[in-house]
Amino acid sequence: MNDYLPPSEPEVSRDEWRQRIEEARRRAKEAARERRAHPELYKPAPEDPDVVATERLLRDDSLQRGDIVTTKKGMFVYQGRSDQPRRDQDFVPVNPKSLR
């Protein structure tokens, strides 16, 4: 009795097993050939640095109300609450003229 196959499935013959292995090898070689022929299709999508920075800022648990953050789009004051999830609306633009 084979402990690795469910009882409902018949045991695979040695030839069938070898055939499955050869088919898997053929598919792997074909996939490797395709990848070499068209590497541009397999490049990871570049992460948008602005999106990454925004996500990092929204997850920053160290932010406290009144903290100022600087981004590519300018300076913002964090007006959110520490007991609530961060939202884009929690960051209010700083008017540079009001700082003088």
Side-chain angles (χ1 to χ4, degrees), residues 10-53:
E11 192 170 317
V12 178
S13 74
R14 188 174 191 92
D15 287 338
E16 289 172 316
W17 177 79
R18 284 184 176 159
Q19 214 172 357
R20 288 181 184 180
I21 297 297
E22 288 306 314
E23 179 61 22
R25 284 182 179 151
R26 187 195 61 73
R27 287 192 316 268
K29 285 180 182 180
E30 181 59 35
R33 237 187 321 268
E34 175 70 20
R35 198 172 176 108
R36 282 191 304 273
H38 303 286
E40 70 281 358
L41 299 176
Y42 298 93
K43 288 183 181 176
E47 290 187 359
D48 183 350
D50 291 339
V51 171
V52 171

Side-chain angles (χ1 to χ4, degrees), residues 50-61:
D50 291 339
V51 171
V52 171
T54 299
E55 289 174 358
R56 187 177 305 135
L57 192 59
L58 291 175
R59 287 191 311 262
D60 186 349
D61 292 332

Side-chain angles (χ1 to χ4, degrees), residues 74-87:
M75 293 174 42
F76 297 85
V77 177
Y78 175 64
Q79 295 294 319
R81 294 178 38 187
S82 59
D83 63 339
Q84 294 180 350
R86 310 239 183 298
R87 305 169 305 155

